[in-house]
Amino acid sequence: MLRKNANFKPKARRASANRTSTNNSKPKKSRKDYHDEEYNRLLQSKRWRLLRKQVLEENKCLCRRCMEQGRVSLATTIHHITPVQWGVSLREKERLAFDRNNLMPLCDECHKEVHRTMGKQTLKANQAKLKAYLDDFRERFLE
């Protein structure tokens, strides 16, 4: 039978100058690092949580992109087709965030792929899309 030594204390590990970290990767960025405060506030609101739930339920929690490709996948994310960050003012960001026509239910895999594709686009292409979007908006609502 083993006896417990009441005086036993484990040795504290000392940091060694020779020891190198095995994790040399950069720390993972949080959502706050990618988006501005207004965007974060909008997506933490009760209004957004309710709208997100409604859009998922209306689409039977199915990924729209997978359905277009003949697959069936569970949608876990609501994607903004036109990024909320493209809004210049808080009012524009709110309109983009809460416009049902700007929302698309996606599975995690499709959502990542959409953002990889968006990230590959050049700034000029994004600016051209934004200009076309704003021109369309002006034509539909302001003229």
Side-chain angles (χ1 to χ4, degrees):
M1 183 168 116
L2 294 174
R3 289 186 182 175
K4 291 186 180 178
N5 184 348
N7 297 326
F8 175 76
K9 292 183 184 175
K11 291 183 181 178
R13 296 185 96 183
R14 292 186 300 165
S16 170
N18 298 342
R19 208 179 292 168
T20 58
S21 172
T22 57
N23 185 6
N24 293 331
S25 62
K26 295 178 183 176
K28 188 174 180 180
K29 291 185 177 183
S30 70
R31 168 174 276 183
K32 291 179 182 178
D33 295 328
Y34 291 107
H35 304 293
D36 62 31
E37 287 181 33
E38 291 172 343
Y39 176 85
N40 290 327
R41 212 173 311 119
L42 290 172
L43 293 193
Q44 292 172 2
S45 69
K46 186 174 182 177
R47 180 180 176 192
W48 168 252
R49 288 191 306 269
L50 180 62
L51 178 61
R52 180 185 182 284
K53 182 179 178 182
Q54 289 171 349
V55 170
L56 284 171
E57 287 173 354
E58 288 168 6
N59 290 277
K60 298 180 175 93
C61 293
L62 296 175
C63 174
R64 187 179 300 171
R65 195 164 178 253
C66 284
M67 288 177 60
E68 290 169 357
Q69 297 173 359
R71 298 185 315 239
V72 177
S73 296
L74 183 66
T76 55
T77 305
I78 299 296
H79 174 70
H80 290 92
I81 299 166
T82 302
V84 175
Q85 297 87 323
W86 286 13
V88 178
S89 67
L90 177 59
R91 188 173 182 181
E92 284 182 54
K93 288 178 183 180
E94 285 177 343
R95 188 184 53 76
L96 289 169
F98 301 119
D99 179 6
R100 285 177 178 267
N101 296 321
N102 190 37
L103 303 176
M104 180 187 326
L106 295 176
C107 65
D108 190 51
E109 185 178 322
C110 286
H111 192 233
K112 287 177 183 175
E113 180 60 31
V114 166
H115 278 276
R116 271 193 298 270
T117 304
M118 287 174 65
K120 291 178 183 176
Q121 297 172 345
T122 64
L123 180 60
K124 262 188 179 174
N126 285 340
Q127 288 174 335
K129 281 185 180 181
L130 179 57
K131 183 181 180 323
Y133 175 79
L134 291 174
D135 290 344
D136 179 56
F137 179 81
R138 283 188 197 106
E139 185 179 305
R140 287 172 54 197
F141 298 105
L142 302 176
E143 294 177 1

